[in-house]
């Protein structure tokens, strides 16, 4: 047995050290491992909080002890977030019309709205995970945000053709405004749900929820806007998702810094 | 009532059942059972105090952070989902409390122009053994120190540490390996301690106990 094998044993399961004859033999012959095991063993001699302090904590908590209803399962939260997104898209489509939906071909409709649903599902899952401390993450939510934005951009480049447009900025600004208004509405509704959770990383949550809200704006724009110019969709439609993501990031950053600004107890 | 609940836990069997008991206590705490709340405070506070002390260096800081942590846990206790492991949930919040406290202290120290953040090596412990372990931990980078403390004092598994730190099991393993390599090299450089035969001193059993789920 090597010193590296000993480290693997210590990390994975300390009980293996006491039960493995090889480990015992190695410790007996290796000064380095022997001292490592000995010093790590001293870690158990933890400093204790005083009984008075524990009594104070108990008194504080017990004075305000009411039943607390646990958060619903992650699946329910994901469905709730998706429902908000669908409501925003439906209300936006009803209010502004669905000229964009009519202009899209069948392939474009299927591809865009399937990708939107998949992207929203991924971001809704990440948002639901971030509401609960100690949840196992299958990947970085930042990665999900980049992946969703990248997927939508790739679909746009593949499905639409670019062409010159004399009113590129003026029409684009209208789309950007609509996208951001829908994203802001979605953010308000998301917040009603997110405030129930315990957000330990406001910056990450801000970016993820911001991107999710941006997708609601994108859905409304794809329903409403009949302009199929690739540049228009890339810059103004996806731009609204990007602005929404950075907006969420900024709000999260402000929340994070305001936490530090509070005076210590 | 409280002692009854504690007794119940003391009689617990292996790691899995002890962990299950903690989860059950948390569920009862959510249901406003005062005995469960008190038992949970008794059970978790020592290891959390040590977690803070090893990260921030000062017992006073650890006391303050422990108080802050329980207030936060109380405020967000509804976010614990029954059936999920409790320790990653608690340590994720503890980690956040530590980060917030560190940043607040850093800001204050910049504003008032003094070193308000204690150096990890500036300890208040008196016992030589604790001092040695503290000093060893203090030489590690923050991430490695955190992982090592959770593994060896908190009694968390690799999977639980990964959850608590929003990381992957692979990343946790890598940090732990690097920490051990660093500790090993430091121990080889350091003067030899008093002779204490490992087998006779029961070091391995001690390590075993600290690595258990309830390593208090």
């Amino acid at each position: 047995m090597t010193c590296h094998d000993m480290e693997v044993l210590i990390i994975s399961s300390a009980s293996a050290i006491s039960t493995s004859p090889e480990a015992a033999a190695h410790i007996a012959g290796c000064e380095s491992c022997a001292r490592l095991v000995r010093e790590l063993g001293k870690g158990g001699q933890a400093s204790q909080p005083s009984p008075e302090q524990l009594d104070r904590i108990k008194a504080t908590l017990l004075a305000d002890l009411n039943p607390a209803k646990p958060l619903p399962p992650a699946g329910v939260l994901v469905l709730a977030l998706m429902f908000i997104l669908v409501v925003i898209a439906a209300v936006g489509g009803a209010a502004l019309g669905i000229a964009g939906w009519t202009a899209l071909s069948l392939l474009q409709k299927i591809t865009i709205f399937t990708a939107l649903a998949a992207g929203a599902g991924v971001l809704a899952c990440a948002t639901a995970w971030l509401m609960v401390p100690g949840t196992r993450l299958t990947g970085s939510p930042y990665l999900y945000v980049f992946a969703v934005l990248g997927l939508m951009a790739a679909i746009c480049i593949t499905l639409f053709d670019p062409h010159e447009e004399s009113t590129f900025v003026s029409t684009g600004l209208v789309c950007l405004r609509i996208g951001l208004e829908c994203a802001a509405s979605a953010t308000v509704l998301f917040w009603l749900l997110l405030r129930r959770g315990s957000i330990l990383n406001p910056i990450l949550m801000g970016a993820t929820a911001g991107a999710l809200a941006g997708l609601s704006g994108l859905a409304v724009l794809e329903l409403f806007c009949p302009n199929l110019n690739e540049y228009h969709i890339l810059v103004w439609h996806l731009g609204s998702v990007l602005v929404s993501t950075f907006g969420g990031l900024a709000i999260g950053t402000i929340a994070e810094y305001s936490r530090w600004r509070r005076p210590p107890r | 009532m409280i002692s009854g609940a504690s007794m119940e836990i003391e009689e617990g069997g292996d790691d899995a059942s002890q962990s299950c008991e903690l989860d059950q206590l948390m569920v009862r705490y959510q249901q406003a059972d005062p005995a469960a709340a008190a038992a949970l405070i008794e059970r978790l506070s020592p290891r959390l105090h040590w977690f803070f002390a090893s990260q921030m260096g000062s017992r006073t800081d650890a006391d303050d952070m422990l108080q802050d942590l329980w207030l936060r846990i109380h405020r967000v206790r509804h976010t614990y989902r029954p059936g999920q492991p409790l320790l990653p949930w608690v340590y994720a919040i503890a980690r956040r409390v530590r980060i917030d406290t560190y940043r607040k202290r850093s800001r204050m120290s910049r504003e008032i122009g003094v070193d308000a953040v204690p150096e990890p090596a500036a300890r208040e412990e008196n016992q030589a053994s604790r001092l040695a372990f503290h000093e060893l931990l203090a030489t590690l980078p923050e991430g490695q120190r955190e992982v090592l403390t959770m593994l060896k004092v908190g009694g968390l598994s690799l999977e639980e540490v990964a959850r608590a730190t929003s990381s992957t099991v692979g990343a946790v393993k890598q940090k732990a390996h690097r920490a051990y390599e660093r500790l090993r090299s430091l121990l080889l450089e350091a003067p030899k301690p008093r002779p204490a035969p490992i087998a006779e001193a029961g070091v391995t059993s001690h390590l075993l106990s600290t690595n258990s789920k309830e390593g208090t």
Side-chain angles (χ1 to χ4, degrees):
Chain A
M1 175 171 272
T2 64
C3 295
H4 179 78
D5 296 334
M6 274 299 296
E7 280 173 16
V8 174
L9 268 185
I10 293 171
I11 292 168
S12 58
S13 163
S15 59
I17 299 168
S18 58
T19 56
S20 163
E22 290 90 356
H26 180 82
I27 290 173
C30 176
E31 173 65 19
S32 161
C33 284
R35 292 188 72 181
L36 183 65
V37 169
R38 190 163 49 230
E39 290 301 330
L40 287 174
K42 289 173 186 170
Q45 299 164 7
S47 64
Q48 300 281 328
S50 65
E52 294 77 24
Q53 192 195 6
L54 291 185
D55 288 343
R56 270 200 308 276
I57 293 171
K58 282 179 204 165
T60 309
L61 266 55
L62 296 183
D64 179 36
L65 192 60
N66 301 308
K69 192 181 172 191
L71 272 184
V76 174
L77 293 175
V78 170
L79 284 178
L81 290 167
M82 295 289 281
F83 178 72
I84 290 171
L85 203 137
V86 170
V87 166
I88 294 286
V91 170
L96 301 167
I98 53 166
W101 173 263
T102 314
L104 291 172
S105 69
L106 182 63
L107 175 69
Q108 287 169 335
K109 282 175 189 167
I110 291 172
T111 313
I112 288 172
F113 285 95
T114 304
L116 262 175
V122 167
L123 293 180
C125 283
T127 306
W129 291 335
L130 290 172
M131 288 174 71
V132 177
T135 303
R136 179 182 13 204
L137 301 177
T138 52
S140 166
Y142 283 128
L143 193 69
Y144 296 151
V145 171
F146 283 121
V148 169
L149 285 171
L151 174 71
M152 296 312 297
I155 286 172
C156 173
I157 290 167
T158 311
L159 292 182
F160 301 102
D161 295 321
H163 56 81
E164 289 294 321
E165 200 179 310
S166 56
T167 56
F168 181 74
V169 175
S170 58
T171 55
L173 284 175
V174 172
C175 283
L176 183 67
R177 183 177 57 77
I178 291 170
L180 291 179
E181 282 173 357
C182 292
S185 309
T187 304
V188 172
L189 294 176
F190 285 161
W191 175 242
L192 296 176
L193 200 64
L194 299 183
R195 59 201 281 272
R196 280 272 296 154
S198 172
I199 301 169
L200 296 184
N201 191 337
I203 299 176
L204 189 55
M205 176 59 102
T208 312
L212 184 60
L215 287 188
S216 70
L218 181 62
V220 171
L221 287 175
E222 293 311 317
L223 288 172
F224 156 73
C225 178
N227 190 338
L228 303 184
N229 181 4
E230 180 189 312
Y231 294 147
H232 174 83
I233 297 171
L234 265 181
V235 173
W236 302 112
H237 292 197
L238 286 183
S240 70
V241 183
L242 205 62
V243 171
S244 175
T245 305
F246 278 107
L249 198 72
I251 292 170
T253 307
I254 290 167
E256 175 80 19
Y257 277 88
S258 65
R259 208 194 288 229
W260 310 344
R261 299 295 297 181
R262 285 178 214 141
R265 290 164 199 285
Chain B
M1 228 174 145
I2 294 167
S3 59
S6 301
M7 283 283 287
E8 199 178 297
I9 302 156
E10 291 302 326
E11 290 162 4
D14 57 6
D15 290 352
S17 67
Q18 286 176 349
S19 175
C20 195
E21 281 168 6
L22 282 176
D23 300 348
Q24 287 302 315
L25 281 176
M26 186 65 204
V27 172
R28 283 165 50 198
Y29 173 34
Q30 283 181 325
Q31 295 162 352
D33 179 347
L40 210 55
I41 292 167
E42 290 278 351
R43 292 296 300 273
L44 292 179
S45 290
R47 66 176 86 181
L48 291 167
H49 192 272
W50 173 259
F51 173 74
F52 290 133
S54 66
Q55 302 291 315
M56 296 295 280
S58 149
R59 185 183 170 86
T60 315
D61 282 338
D63 287 346
D64 291 346
M65 283 189 281
L66 186 67
Q67 180 92 16
D68 191 10
L69 170 66
W70 278 109
L71 290 176
R72 285 202 203 187
I73 285 177
H74 189 66
R75 208 165 48 233
V76 301
R77 64 191 185 280
H78 65 280
T79 63
Y80 170 74
R81 286 205 180 98
Q84 294 292 307
L86 176 66
L87 288 179
W89 182 83
V90 169
Y91 271 87
I93 300 171
R95 194 167 174 260
R96 187 66 229 191
V97 168
R98 180 181 63 76
I99 292 169
D100 285 348
T101 306
Y102 180 80
R103 285 172 178 167
K104 277 180 192 169
R105 296 286 164 84
S106 298
R107 185 178 63 83
M108 279 185 67
S109 69
R110 279 199 304 275
E111 285 178 0
I112 61 178
V114 297
D115 185 14
V117 183
E119 287 298 315
R123 307 293 174 187
E124 295 175 4
E125 303 295 343
N126 294 322
Q127 295 177 21
S129 61
R130 279 193 221 166
L131 195 63
F133 189 70
H134 259 136
E135 284 173 346
L136 281 171
L137 280 181
T139 61
L140 298 174
E142 192 178 314
Q144 292 176 16
R145 189 162 66 232
E146 183 179 71
V147 163
L148 200 65
T149 312
M150 284 187 190
L151 280 172
K152 289 301 156 200
V153 181
L156 277 72
S157 66
L158 285 169
E159 164 72 22
E160 288 174 332
V161 176
R163 277 172 172 248
T165 56
S166 303
S167 183
T168 62
V169 171
V172 172
K173 269 186 187 173
Q174 193 180 43
K175 277 184 185 172
H177 268 299
R178 286 182 180 159
Y180 289 135
E181 277 172 17
R182 172 99 178 127
L183 289 182
R184 188 190 296 282
S185 64
L186 283 169
L187 286 169
L188 284 176
E189 288 166 13
K192 284 186 182 180
R194 296 185 305 276
I198 297 162
E200 290 168 24
V203 170
T204 49
S205 61
H206 190 86
L207 179 59
L208 174 63
S209 70
T210 60
N211 200 46
S212 72
K213 289 278 176 190
E214 300 307 315
T216 53

